[in-house]
Amino acid sequence: MTPPTLPPLWLRWLAVLPLTALFASAIGYFSIPGHVLLGALAAGVVVAIRWHAPTVPRPLFGFAQAIIGCLVAASFDMQAVREVADHGILFVAMVLSVFLICAAMGCLLARKRILPGTTAIWGTSPGAASIMTIMSGDFGADSRLVALMQYSRVVMVTFAAIGISSLHGHDATLPQSTFAALQPFNWTGFIEALVLCLLGTAVGIFFKWHSGAILFPLIVGSICKLGLGMDIAVPWWLLLVANLIIGWGIGFRFTVQVLVNAVHALPSIIVTFLGMIILCGAVGVGLGWLAGIDPLTAYLATSPGGMDVITLIAVSVGGNAPLIMAVQLARFLVALLTGPRLAAYVAKKMQNEPVMKDTP
């Protein structure tokens, strides 16, 4: 029996594009963060399951990673640094408490063998969802399941923050994007970002340092912005392209078995994230009460993820946005630096631990 003939490559891409637009529009209709990336990922999954999916070239995927790195670097500013200096002890307590809670949840998922150790740790890491998803694959985790976990967490955290803000007496609808296309174009900042992206892509390829594509522009860009006053600018359309490429790159790698595993693990993942949100919120409000910070600012600062969306909500409801951004960024850096070692440790521990058997 001859296997079915695959559609030509151009036809498969022709199927991906309208599916991406359809899924992204549907997800965006409900104001869900990351709807472009999620729409591209969903379209990639459909094409990968239905046919043999196209592949995203590694240099192109690396360039998309570099764009995300530049975006994070552009978010650093001196106001956030000043907030850290003003609330030093509170800042450290918030960062470490949320990180430890998330790490414990990841270890629990690994311990229960719901997910492999590295995947569980990266999936629960309280950093930028796109960066955690991208880097996880370079450290032995299944980036497809990590993507499912990270963006499930982002959605849950976002709507929990909106609900808490509304209960606090604020109009907390998710902020909509402004007409970025009508804003003045920053040519200097764009060229600086483009140079960083090209250098990051080159570093990742020539030194075979896959994470270098995202870490090089993030680290160098942050230093240049804070130390040299560089004005890094990532235009909306470049960020759109990066989200599409990353979404397709992850979605195309899905198989039927991975999809079945994801559906099977999803209820446990949701329960885990609910517990994470409750614990982080309780710790945040408690620390805020001890330090004299308003409860809403404390809650948003300790929300486990959704850094960009949480900051936007903080601005819209009048919270201390610089402090919230500083805590979120610092926690992301802690997760970035410790994630690989923690994931490797948990994976090794799980391999050495014998599987418990039921006694007759």
Side-chain angles (χ1 to χ4, degrees), residues 161-172 285 294-297 299 317:
I162 292 173
I164 294 296
S165 300
S166 299
L167 290 175
H168 203 260
H170 295 281
D171 181 12
V285 172
D294 71 276
L296 184 58
T297 292
Y299 174 83
V317 301

Side-chain angles (χ1 to χ4, degrees), residues 150-311:
Q150 285 286 340
Y151 283 97
S152 296
R153 175 178 55 82
V154 168
V155 171
M156 292 174 66
V157 166
T158 300
F159 285 102
I162 292 173
I164 294 296
S165 300
S166 299
L167 290 175
H168 203 260
H170 295 281
D171 181 12
T173 55
L174 191 64
Q176 300 297 319
S177 59
T178 57
F179 297 129
L182 302 179
Q183 296 175 357
F185 190 78
N186 184 352
W187 279 103
T188 303
F190 168 65
I191 292 172
E192 291 169 350
L194 193 60
V195 170
L196 283 172
C197 288
L198 292 173
L199 287 174
T201 306
V203 166
I205 293 173
F206 290 114
F207 292 95
K208 296 183 178 179
W209 181 29
H210 297 317
S211 300
I214 196 167
L215 293 181
F216 181 87
L218 193 159
I219 296 170
V220 175
S222 301
I223 293 172
C224 290
K225 181 170 183 182
L226 294 176
L228 304 177
M230 181 183 286
D231 185 19
I232 302 169
V234 180
W236 66 272
W237 52 266
L238 191 61
L239 184 59
L240 177 71
V241 169
N243 277 275
L244 289 172
I245 293 171
I246 292 170
W248 288 332
I250 296 170
F252 288 159
R253 295 200 291 266
F254 266 78
T255 63
V256 174
Q257 186 58 50
V258 170
L259 198 61
V260 170
N261 292 342
V263 172
H264 177 73
L266 191 58
S268 298
I269 292 171
I270 291 173
V271 171
T272 299
F273 287 149
L274 283 174
M276 184 186 297
I277 291 169
I278 293 170
L279 287 174
C280 290
V283 168
V285 172
L287 289 173
W289 178 75
L290 290 174
I293 301 294
D294 71 276
L296 184 58
T297 292
Y299 174 83
L300 293 175
T302 53
S303 291
M307 178 172 61
D308 51 350
V309 178
I310 291 298
T311 305

Side-chain angles (χ1 to χ4, degrees), residues 17 23 32 46 75 115 138 162 169 191 202 224 227 257 280 298 322 331:
L17 295 175
F23 286 129
I32 294 176
V46 171
S75 65
L115 291 166
D138 297 331
I162 292 173
I191 292 172
C224 290
Q257 186 58 50
C280 290
R331 196 176 64 233

Side-chain angles (χ1 to χ4, degrees), residues 8-92:
L9 184 62
W10 66 268
L11 188 59
R12 279 175 274 165
W13 273 113
L14 197 62
V16 168
L17 295 175
L19 281 174
T20 300
L22 177 64
F23 286 129
S25 299
I27 296 170
Y29 177 80
F30 296 99
S31 298
I32 294 176
H35 63 280
V36 174
L37 190 148
L38 291 174
L41 192 153
V45 171
V46 171
V47 173
I49 298 300
R50 181 65 180 84
W51 303 302
H52 181 69
T55 56
V56 175
R58 182 71 202 185
L60 187 61
F61 194 78
F63 185 75
Q65 291 178 280
I67 294 171
I68 303 298
C70 280
L71 183 68
V72 176
S75 65
F76 283 91
D77 57 27
M78 290 307 298
Q79 191 174 2
V81 175
R82 285 191 290 270
E83 286 291 338
V84 173
D86 293 341
H87 302 89
I89 297 176
L90 174 66
F91 174 81
V92 173

